[in-house]
Amino acid sequence: MPPPTAGLTRRPDYLRQVRRRYELLVLRFIESTFRFQADVWWAEVKKPIRFPALFCGTFNHSPPTIVIRLAVAFVILGNASAQIAPFSPDRPWHGIQEQQIEDDSKHFPQPRFRIEPDRTYSLAELIDLAEAHNPETRIAWEGARVQLAALGIARSELYPTLAAIALSQTNRAEALFGDRFVRQSVQTSQGVLELNYTIFDFGARAGRIEAAKAQLLAANFAFNDTHRKLIYQVEQAYYTLLNASGQEQAARADLTNAQTAQQAAEDQLKNGLATLPDVLEARSATAQAEYDLEAVLGSQEIARGGLATALGTSATVAIRAQPLDEIPTPDSIDDTVDQAIDRALEHRPDLMQQVAEIRSANARIKEARAAYYPTMTVNATPAAQSLNGVQQTFPWAHTRDLTGGLTLNLSWTVFDGGARENRVAQAEANSRAAKAQVDAIRDQISNEIWTAYSNLKTTLRQRQSAISLLEAATQSYAATLESYKSGVRNFLDVTSAQRTLSQARSADVLARTQVLTAVANLAFQAGDAIQSDTRKRRP
């Protein structure tokens, strides 16, 4: 048995081992959490440790180093928690910044506006809501405001700049005075006004201002084009919802017809005038009608969410639209294709935006050519100065006065290795490219109008065919069902007529919504939707 004092000589070593063990645990926690390799920093900590008996008597040891090492551990912890790239390509990235960004996103809730659930909205009302609340219009609006600020920055070059500066400093040095050095101290305090103004630059500033004006015009036309696209987006979503609602009505009518035919088959079977396969066929047709109805209901929910998204609100918001039967469907085209093309070339905002880009390019040419001429600037720096100084063996001296300077600077680049010539050539090439882009957009607009006009004519003809098809299919189904009840026709004829009637109903609804969509598309391509007279008479 060891003597009672045997552990006293080993306790300092034991405490050092305990400290190292805790430091090792902290290090492993850091490495396992942040995957930060710190073996170089803590190599000595990872040496093998042997533990003696615990807590025997008192102890005395050197000042601990655990504070310093824990400080290093926290430095490692801070570096490990900094923003870094993913560790490997085979797993998603997660970090502290992820939670921070997720928390920040909660401070930007989606803007909501009230949609009355019991109110039936017209297309014009929905378009007004979209223009007021869809974020795309705000994005384009802020873009125009950015260009307005850029124009203000360009115009500010026409005015002088004035800066106020306050200085205070103290200098101490050894000055040579005769055959010895004398220590002197000088304290300077002054307030300075610095005025800079460009007197003339032969059109460089004017060119930048004209380019900024053109960019503002382009941003305004881009803003109008955003409204044009948004109006068409709402119209598409609206007519998609109307088509889905109409298809629901048609599907419910098909289900009613299938149930009627099934009941007729059941009655005929009871009377011994039909067979079991006829009844099974009728039940199958009813189940198919129910299946089709559920599919249409799902499409209607999706279309309702698309319309809500176009308005700038959550897709879960329920919006009631006018029934398709209450919306008049045009049966002819009022304008010719040439009239539509002329209107588009006159009003399309994307074309006007490109014309504004030509103005901007021409202004850049003016700015580039101004570099061939000199620039004169003036600089004035009036200052109020106060000096306090002292030299060794002499009393303090003080003076106060108004100082400053006036400088006229004439700068003329004589040679620059062809930089000005190339800048002018670059600006002229950009101008020619902008003009060619206008021609390309005009050709594209003409083709879009022609395509939209042809599609509208096609949908109008299809609409007339759909009306005839629905009328004939309705009469055929009624006559076939009545003949079946009289025992003249078989049930296969009934199911065939029922299927034709279902297709005719769906085609009639689709043809009506296609006409409305084609009319909206023609107005979209012609730029009619954003004109003030068109907006006043919008349905």
Side-chain angles (χ1 to χ4, degrees):
M1 180 176 181
T5 58
L8 296 179
T9 59
R10 294 183 294 175
R11 290 189 191 103
D13 294 335
Y14 162 71
L15 291 174
R16 282 194 297 270
Q17 293 173 358
V18 170
R19 287 199 305 271
R20 289 181 181 178
R21 176 58 62 185
Y22 281 113
E23 292 167 1
L24 180 60
L25 293 176
V26 172
L27 176 62
R28 288 179 176 174
F29 171 76
I30 294 172
E31 290 178 350
S32 62
T33 305
F34 301 99
R35 301 183 183 180
F36 184 83
Q37 299 299 327
D39 296 342
V40 177
W41 297 81
W42 295 86
E44 65 177 55
V45 179
K46 295 187 176 181
K47 295 178 180 178
I49 299 175
R50 301 174 65 181
F51 289 88
L54 296 179
F55 303 107
C56 299
T58 60
F59 57 88
N60 185 16
H61 57 87
S62 60
T65 60
I66 189 169
V67 176
I68 299 176
R69 297 187 180 183
L70 285 179
V72 175
F74 282 116
V75 171
I76 296 173
L77 181 65
N79 292 334
S81 62
Q83 184 172 349
I84 56 178
F87 292 101
S88 62
D90 60 344
R91 65 190 62 189
W93 169 84
H94 297 287
I96 298 178
Q97 287 76 20
E98 179 184 18
Q99 183 62 42
Q100 293 175 351
I101 294 299
E102 291 175 355
D103 293 338
D104 291 343
S105 65
K106 298 177 182 178
H107 299 294
F108 302 96
Q110 182 179 2
R112 299 289 184 95
F113 55 93
R114 177 172 174 77
I115 294 291
E116 300 179 14
D118 299 332
R119 177 179 176 181
T120 300
Y121 288 89
S122 65
L123 177 59
E125 292 172 333
L126 295 176
I127 289 176
D128 290 339
L129 288 174
E131 289 180 302
H133 300 286
N134 192 291
E136 294 296 332
T137 58
R138 296 197 299 273
I139 294 173
W141 181 59
E142 294 296 346
R145 290 170 62 86
V146 168
Q147 293 302 326
L148 178 61
L151 175 59
I153 295 173
R155 283 175 172 169
S156 66
E157 298 185 39
L158 298 175
Y159 302 93
T161 60
L162 182 63
I165 306 172
L167 300 176
S168 179
Q169 63 179 1
T170 300
N171 294 325
R172 173 175 290 183
E174 297 289 335
L176 180 63
F177 187 75
D179 58 349
R180 62 192 181 91
F181 286 92
V182 177
R183 179 180 296 177
Q184 66 177 13
S185 299
V186 178
Q187 183 180 10
T188 304
S189 299
Q190 63 178 352
V192 183
L193 292 177
E194 185 175 2
L195 177 68
N196 291 286
Y197 181 64
T198 301
I199 299 176
F200 60 83
D201 57 3
F202 288 94
R205 291 174 296 178
R208 287 190 287 270
I209 292 174
E210 291 178 8
K213 288 181 179 178
Q215 290 297 322
L216 177 58
L217 283 175
N220 291 341
F221 284 117
F223 175 70
N224 291 347
D225 198 46
T226 300
H227 278 268
R228 180 180 72 99
K229 293 177 180 178
L230 179 60
I231 291 172
Y232 182 56
Q233 180 183 354
V234 174
E235 290 174 335
Q236 281 185 311
Y238 182 77
Y239 293 136
T240 300
L241 178 58
L242 291 186
N243 178 66
S245 300
Q247 295 294 345
E248 179 195 356
Q249 296 178 359
R252 293 189 182 280
D254 295 338
L255 178 59
T256 301
N257 290 342
Q259 292 172 345
T260 302
Q262 178 183 349
Q263 185 61 42
E266 298 279 359
D267 294 340
Q268 292 289 78
L269 180 62
K270 292 179 181 179
N271 297 329
L273 301 177
T275 61
L276 181 59
D278 292 340
V279 175
L280 296 178
E281 181 70 21
R283 293 174 181 174
S284 175
T286 302
Q288 181 65 43
E290 292 175 347
Y291 177 85
D292 295 339
L293 176 59
E294 293 300 327
V296 169
L297 291 175
S299 300
Q300 186 179 16
E301 292 298 323
I302 295 174
R304 202 178 301 277
L307 178 58
T309 302
L311 298 185
T313 186
S314 173
T316 60
V317 176
I319 301 175
R320 295 183 59 183
Q322 285 181 300
L324 182 59
D325 296 336
E326 298 181 3
I327 298 178
T329 304
D331 54 3
S332 62
I333 309 176
D334 296 333
D335 297 333
T336 63
V337 64
D338 292 329
Q339 291 174 334
I341 292 176
D342 292 340
R343 287 201 315 275
L345 297 179
E346 183 179 358
H347 298 301
R348 276 278 291 262
D350 52 344
L351 178 60
M352 300 301 104
Q353 179 183 357
Q354 189 58 39
V355 173
E357 294 291 346
I358 296 178
R359 283 192 182 185
S360 177
N362 292 335
R364 296 301 180 187
I365 295 176
K366 182 178 180 180
E367 179 186 359
R369 288 175 176 171
Y372 282 101
Y373 302 96
T375 300
M376 176 172 283
T377 60
V378 60
N379 175 264
T381 56
Q385 188 178 59
S386 175
L387 298 175
N388 294 281
V390 63
Q391 285 186 337
Q392 191 174 359
T393 70
F394 291 97
W396 279 88
H398 173 72
T399 183
R400 180 182 299 170
D401 198 0
L402 292 176
T403 60
L406 179 64
T407 304
L408 286 176
N409 182 17
L410 181 64
S411 176
W412 194 350
T413 302
V414 179
F415 177 76
D416 60 0
R420 291 172 294 181
E421 180 181 0
N422 289 320
R423 289 193 185 98
V424 171
Q426 182 184 36
E428 290 175 347
N430 288 334
S431 177
R432 292 191 297 269
K435 293 177 182 177
Q437 186 66 27
V438 168
D439 295 335
I441 292 179
R442 283 175 175 167
D443 294 339
Q444 179 183 352
I445 289 175
S446 299
N447 181 62
E448 290 172 348
I449 293 295
W450 175 256
T451 301
Y453 195 86
S454 300
N455 287 336
L456 179 55
K457 291 193 300 182
T458 301
T459 56
L460 288 174
R461 293 193 295 266
Q462 288 178 331
R463 167 63 177 152
Q464 297 301 322
S465 300
I467 294 175
S468 302
L469 175 62
L470 179 60
E471 182 179 358
T474 302
Q475 295 176 356
S476 174
Y477 172 76
T480 303
L481 182 60
E482 188 65 26
S483 299
Y484 173 73
K485 292 179 179 180
S486 301
V488 179
R489 306 288 293 271
N490 58 40
F491 193 77
L492 292 178
D493 296 332
V494 175
T495 56
S496 176
Q498 177 185 340
R499 190 179 303 109
T500 301
L501 178 58
S502 175
Q503 296 173 352
R505 286 197 181 104
S506 178
D508 179 69
V509 173
L510 181 60
R512 281 188 287 174
T513 54
Q514 282 182 336
V515 169
L516 296 173
T517 304
V519 171
N521 184 38
L522 181 59
F524 166 70
Q525 301 297 346
D528 294 337
I530 61 173
Q531 302 306 316
S532 57
D533 54 345
T534 306
R535 294 172 66 89
K536 291 179 181 178
R537 55 185 173 85
R538 183 188 296 161

